[in-house]
């Protein structure tokens, strides 16, 4: 079982428009709405591909009740830690003409000290049967920067790998705690360590203590940087058009699935992560893969 931990989930609302025109009024159909947040998307992808995932998250207010009901209706194994703050929303607007997606992410509201403790204690308890632990997504305001580092510590005590997808000090502390794999995108990496060279940035995280760094490069594919090895980058021969929301989550799901199966070769992790990420771009909603995801891996080229 792969345990995913999502401290700051959201109700994901996805609108589709024929062409997005800033400053204009758009008449649209009702949005697709579902329980979201990075860790929940990771769990959905793992389930779709035949793996076993358990999603730990928080929920509060009427929107939190909706989130919990959605998880139950979807049959996704999960545990929800009740919190006072209402669960946030995330709005994705898919411009079908341009093949681009614009996203508005609410920051969420702070959690109380007792709520953080409840989430930590649940993660420690649920880690007992876990083969891999994933910490993924933004942290709400005033969150402890070391929360993801604590998940890494839990994984190390259990002797299982950890995958962290975060940004800023939370990402750096996870590296220092010895995370098995870190998966920032290019912007998140730059925001964390400075500079615009992803190889240099990834090596900074390796020097801090991470075992492997995978960096999403958008249409340019993905980069893997491991200690003592030359960087590896792969991509599809041509860029894809679609909804990139959740592409990084699909990459994390791929990495977690392989690690849970005992596979830790950096190139295999990179190729599977890139293929699943591309398949997510072709899917209509975050947390899903296009049915042809298995074929995409064979099309990847090394750059």
């Amino acid at each position: 079982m792969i345990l995913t931990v999502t401290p700051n989930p959201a109700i994901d609302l996805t609108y589709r428009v024929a062409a997005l025109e800033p400053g204009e009024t758009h008449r649209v159909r009702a949005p697709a709405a579902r329980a979201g947040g990075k860790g929940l998307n990771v769990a959905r992808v793992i389930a779709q591909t035949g793996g076993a995932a358990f999603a730990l998250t928080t929920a509060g207010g009427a929107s939190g009740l909706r989130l919990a009901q959605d998880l139950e209706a979807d049959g996704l194994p999960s545990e929800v830690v009740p919190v006072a703050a209402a669960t946030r929303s995330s709005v994705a607007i898919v411009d079908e003409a341009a093949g681009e997606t614009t996203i508005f992410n609410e920051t969420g509201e702070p959690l109380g000290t007792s709520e953080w403790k409840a989430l930590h204690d649940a993660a420690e308890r649920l880690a007992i049967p876990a083969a891999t632990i994933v910490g993924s997504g933004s942290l709400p305001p005033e969150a402890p920067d070391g929360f993801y580092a604590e998940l890494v510590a839990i994984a190390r005590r259990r002797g299982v790998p950890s995958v962290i997808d975060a940004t800023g000090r939370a990402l750096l502390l996870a590296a220092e705690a010895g995370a098995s794999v870190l998966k920032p995108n290019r912007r998140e990496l730059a925001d964390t360590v400075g500079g615009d060279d992803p190889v240099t940035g990834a090596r900074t995280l390796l020097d801090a203590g991470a075992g492997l760094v995978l960096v999403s490069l958008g249409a340019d594919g993905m980069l893997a940087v491991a200690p003592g090895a030359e960087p590896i980058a792969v991509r599809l021969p041509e860029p894809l058009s679609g909804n990139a929301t959740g592409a990084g989550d699909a990459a994390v799901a791929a990495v977690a699935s392989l690690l849970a199966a005992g596979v830790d070769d950096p190139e295999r992790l990179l190729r599977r992560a890139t293929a699943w990420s591309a398949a997510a771009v072709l899917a209509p909603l975050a947390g899903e893969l296009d049915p042809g995801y298995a074929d995409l891996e064979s099309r990847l080229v090394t750059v």
Side-chain angles (χ1 to χ4, degrees):
M1 180 270 285
I2 297 168
L3 174 64
T4 73
V5 184
T6 311
N8 199 24
I11 297 294
D12 282 348
L13 304 172
T14 302
Y15 292 88
R16 307 187 78 87
V17 297
L20 181 62
E21 300 181 38
E24 297 298 329
T25 298
H26 300 74
R27 191 171 299 277
V28 297
R29 294 182 181 275
R34 70 191 310 183
K38 283 184 173 291
L40 298 185
N41 293 337
V42 171
R44 290 183 189 276
V45 170
I46 292 169
Q48 179 188 342
T49 54
F54 192 97
L56 172 64
T57 190
T58 63
S63 52
L65 178 60
R66 181 180 184 181
L67 180 139
Q69 291 172 336
D70 187 62
L71 292 176
E72 183 176 0
D74 286 348
L76 188 66
S78 61
E79 180 173 326
V80 173
V81 174
V83 297
T87 297
R88 67 192 178 106
S89 294
S90 176
V91 179
I93 302 174
V94 180
D95 182 339
E96 295 177 336
E100 298 177 343
T101 302
T102 301
I103 302 173
F104 297 87
N105 280 328
E106 295 180 3
T107 58
E109 298 296 329
L111 304 185
T113 301
S114 62
E115 294 167 341
W116 280 113
K117 183 178 186 307
L119 185 61
H120 177 278
D121 291 350
E124 189 125 40
R125 168 171 46 81
L126 293 168
I128 294 173
T132 301
I133 297 176
V134 174
S136 198
S138 66
L139 296 172
E142 303 174 24
D145 289 333
F147 179 77
Y148 283 141
E150 292 172 5
L151 294 185
V152 174
I154 291 171
R156 289 172 67 89
R157 288 196 295 271
R158 301 299 308 168
V160 300
S162 56
V163 186
I164 303 297
D165 182 2
T167 188
R169 184 160 172 76
L171 183 67
L172 185 58
L173 291 177
E176 293 175 354
S180 305
V181 180
L182 299 179
K183 211 290 312 153
N185 62 35
R186 189 200 302 263
R187 178 180 295 179
E188 290 166 343
L189 181 61
D191 289 346
T192 299
V193 301
D196 56 6
D197 178 15
V199 172
T200 301
R203 285 180 171 149
T204 299
L205 296 179
L206 294 179
D207 291 343
L212 174 68
V213 180
L214 299 181
V215 186
S216 297
L217 304 175
D220 294 326
M222 195 171 297
L223 168 75
V225 185
E230 288 297 313
I232 310 169
V234 299
R235 61 170 176 82
L236 287 172
E238 66 288 326
L240 297 175
S241 176
N243 180 7
T245 312
D249 305 331
V252 171
V255 171
S257 297
L258 285 177
L259 290 175
V263 177
D264 60 4
D265 175 68
E267 185 167 0
R268 288 189 63 185
L269 294 173
L270 172 67
R271 294 183 67 85
R272 182 66 52 83
T274 306
W276 286 21
S277 179
V281 173
L282 297 175
L285 298 174
E288 296 180 0
L289 299 184
D290 180 83
Y293 66 89
D295 297 329
L296 289 171
E297 194 166 344
S298 65
R299 295 169 49 194
L300 296 172
V301 295
T302 303
V303 294

